[in-house]
Amino acid sequence: MPRSRTKVLVLGGGYVGLYVTWTLEKHTEVDLDITVVEPRAYMTYQPLLPEVAGGHVEPRNVTVDLRQAFSHATVVRGAVTGLDSAARVVTVRTIDGDERRLDYDHVVIGMGAITRVFPTPGLAERGIGFKTIEEAVATRNQVLENVARAAGTTDEAERRKYLTFVFIGGGYTGVEALSELSDLSKKAIAAQPALRGEQPRWVLIEALDRIAPEVGPELSAWSLGELRSRGIEVKLKTTMKSCEDDVARLSDGEEIPFGMIVWTAGVKPNPVLDDTDLPRGPKGHVVANERLQVVREDGSWVRGVWAAGDIAQIPDPTKQQQPAFYPPNAQNALRQAVLLGESIPKAIRRRRPRRYVHYTLGTVASYGVLKGAANIHGILLKNTWAWLAHRSYHLLAMPTTDRKIRILSGWVADALGRTDLTPTDDFEDPRHDFREAAE
């Protein structure tokens, strides 16, 4: 009788899903039936979302179509609704609403993280995150729309409100996004004769005593000064109590009427884990060992279950102070995924997988064109050199040659041409004109 194929389920189509599957497809010495489960049709390269918001990169160029990316893996468009590790079955609700049961021999938990949102009054109604292409494009459109509305009103209070933008969360993602959008707003205002002499108000709210801690203490302090020198208000050790009625009410008593509020205050593991029987850590991550195997409290492997990326709590043996875990970033997710793609074929052949050990390469952050901060193996870079390091690293890290070429050509066109201030908000409701005509 022919030998049955080993069924591998990859849950999630982000960094982990893409690179695990690519690596698995190279292992022709084992007969694998690979299925990738992901609600979206594409993988998003999130580090370049600020450049999408700034208009330097086209939205589709930071995506990778999953069906085109794989040679023979099957892609199931749907969301995981349950996982029974004892029965080795995953339930999925497909995009057409059907429920499917997928059995597996090995399963990869790689659904990533979602925006961590606190129950702040008004936030769900008025706020927007910055973790998806849709959110990056929407924030760009909102800035351009607000500038246009400010130019069209003679009410001074309304004008100031339209030109006031609030960011909650001062990690480097928030700082990068704010920097790009702040530059965009100034260019859009300069293009409006009715707003001659006007300046936008950008406010960054951070609960800690510093911003962009990922780049290290010295560059964090420099980044704070850099933002403030550009007229951006940074409020440290401050939180937002509510944002109802388009007014941000802060813990220091200040009230700020705003035209847009963006929430970048961290992430949390995908809550789909609540519908599984997998062991969880204190912050909700699935618990894995150094070999990326999901393990119980006693250290025993949940047979056939692996995890990587933002959704997993993976011990970091490189740190002096223990226990320590790898931070949730693309640098780790990509490398963990490649190792995991090597480990599953080893496990099938009854060989022991390697441990995941990675010493960080550092952090690069862009604060707009020719501005940024970078800490690369302890070498500190600022502004032009940091910005070039940021673009070089992410161009190399962007999956597929096709996307690299498109991004690079877009950067060249952006450098040689005028700033594109075209809003695309009509794309968000493409049937608007047709409905009006029909009515």
Side-chain angles (χ1 to χ4, degrees), residues 217-394:
E218 183 177 335
L219 285 178
S220 172
W222 177 86
S223 299
L224 177 62
E226 169 67 17
L227 292 194
R228 286 176 170 166
S229 71
R230 292 158 67 175
I232 297 168
E233 298 176 41
V234 182
K235 293 180 172 292
L236 302 177
K237 300 182 181 178
T238 306
T239 58
M240 184 177 70
K241 299 167 66 176
S242 72
C243 58
E244 295 175 302
D245 304 319
D246 293 346
V247 177
R249 296 174 176 84
L250 309 183
S251 58
D252 63 3
E254 185 175 3
E255 296 188 354
I256 304 175
F258 62 83
M260 182 178 76
I261 189 162
V262 184
W263 184 270
T264 56
V267 297
K268 65 178 182 179
N270 196 314
V272 71
L273 289 176
D274 296 341
D275 299 317
T276 74
D277 60 356
L278 300 176
R280 312 275 293 277
K283 295 184 178 181
H285 301 80
V286 63
V287 178
N289 62 18
E290 294 177 6
R291 303 180 196 281
L292 310 181
Q293 299 165 316
V294 173
V295 292
R296 304 178 182 88
E297 192 172 351
D298 63 1
S300 61
W301 183 26
V302 180
R303 190 64 59 179
V305 184
W306 310 76
D310 297 0
I311 201 169
Q313 175 183 289
I314 297 170
D316 181 357
T318 68
K319 302 297 183 185
Q320 289 185 341
Q321 188 173 349
Q322 296 291 333
F325 305 97
Y326 285 103
N329 57 36
Q331 190 178 134
N332 281 301
L334 188 155
R335 287 163 176 78
Q336 289 166 3
V338 172
L339 177 61
L340 213 162
E342 302 282 350
S343 297
I344 291 175
K346 282 186 177 181
I348 293 170
R349 291 176 292 160
R350 301 187 182 280
R351 296 180 181 177
R352 195 176 193 190
R354 286 192 298 113
R355 297 163 59 227
Y356 178 73
V357 179
H358 174 64
Y359 293 88
T360 181
L361 302 176
T363 304
V364 290
S366 170
Y367 301 156
V369 176
L370 300 179
K371 304 182 186 75
N375 184 341
I376 303 172
H377 291 302
I379 300 173
L380 307 185
L381 304 175
K382 300 172 185 175
N383 285 330
T384 302
W385 289 111
W387 177 77
L388 289 171
H390 173 273
R391 283 201 163 181
S392 300
Y393 174 81
H394 288 301

Side-chain angles (χ1 to χ4, degrees), residues 67-353:
R67 293 189 190 278
Q68 289 185 310
F70 304 138
S71 301
H72 55 264
T74 301
V75 177
V76 174
R77 293 278 307 279
V80 174
T81 57
L83 185 152
D84 184 338
S85 62
R88 295 197 179 192
V89 170
V90 172
T91 55
V92 176
R93 182 180 294 110
T94 60
I95 57 174
D96 58 7
D98 290 342
E99 289 281 345
R100 291 181 59 180
R101 288 169 56 88
L102 304 174
D103 59 318
Y104 66 83
D105 298 300
H106 294 268
V107 63
V108 176
I109 311 300
M111 294 87 84
I114 65 168
T115 302
R116 180 185 60 189
V117 181
F118 301 132
T120 304
L123 182 59
E125 294 78 20
R126 291 295 290 122
I128 185 171
F130 200 87
K131 193 167 171 56
T132 67
I133 293 175
E134 294 82 2
E135 289 172 332
V137 172
T139 54
R140 172 182 171 80
N141 286 334
Q142 188 68 64
V143 168
L144 296 174
E145 176 69 14
N146 281 17
V147 171
R149 291 189 178 193
T153 183
T154 57
D155 186 308
E156 185 62 28
E158 278 293 294
R159 176 174 287 184
R160 293 315 309 157
K161 176 183 170 182
Y162 284 133
L163 296 181
T164 299
F165 308 91
V166 178
F167 261 72
I168 310 296
Y172 79 92
T173 297
V175 175
E176 285 186 313
L178 181 151
S179 299
E180 287 284 3
L181 291 169
S182 171
D183 288 350
L184 175 70
S185 69
K186 292 175 183 177
K187 293 173 183 176
I189 288 171
Q192 295 279 1
L195 296 178
R196 186 168 295 138
E198 293 283 353
Q199 290 294 324
R201 183 186 182 190
W202 287 85
V203 185
L204 175 60
I205 311 298
E206 171 54 50
L208 299 177
D209 61 356
R210 60 194 183 281
I211 64 168
E214 299 90 341
V215 297
E218 183 177 335
L219 285 178
S220 172
W222 177 86
S223 299
L224 177 62
E226 169 67 17
L227 292 194
R228 286 176 170 166
S229 71
R230 292 158 67 175
I232 297 168
E233 298 176 41
V234 182
K235 293 180 172 292
L236 302 177
K237 300 182 181 178
T238 306
T239 58
M240 184 177 70
K241 299 167 66 176
S242 72
C243 58
E244 295 175 302
D245 304 319
D246 293 346
V247 177
R249 296 174 176 84
L250 309 183
S251 58
D252 63 3
E254 185 175 3
E255 296 188 354
I256 304 175
F258 62 83
M260 182 178 76
I261 189 162
V262 184
W263 184 270
T264 56
V267 297
K268 65 178 182 179
N270 196 314
V272 71
L273 289 176
D274 296 341
D275 299 317
T276 74
D277 60 356
L278 300 176
R280 312 275 293 277
K283 295 184 178 181
H285 301 80
V286 63
V287 178
N289 62 18
E290 294 177 6
R291 303 180 196 281
L292 310 181
Q293 299 165 316
V294 173
V295 292
R296 304 178 182 88
E297 192 172 351
D298 63 1
S300 61
W301 183 26
V302 180
R303 190 64 59 179
V305 184
W306 310 76
D310 297 0
I311 201 169
Q313 175 183 289
I314 297 170
D316 181 357
T318 68
K319 302 297 183 185
Q320 289 185 341
Q321 188 173 349
Q322 296 291 333
F325 305 97
Y326 285 103
N329 57 36
Q331 190 178 134
N332 281 301
L334 188 155
R335 287 163 176 78
Q336 289 166 3
V338 172
L339 177 61
L340 213 162
E342 302 282 350
S343 297
I344 291 175
K346 282 186 177 181
I348 293 170
R349 291 176 292 160
R350 301 187 182 280
R351 296 180 181 177
R352 195 176 193 190

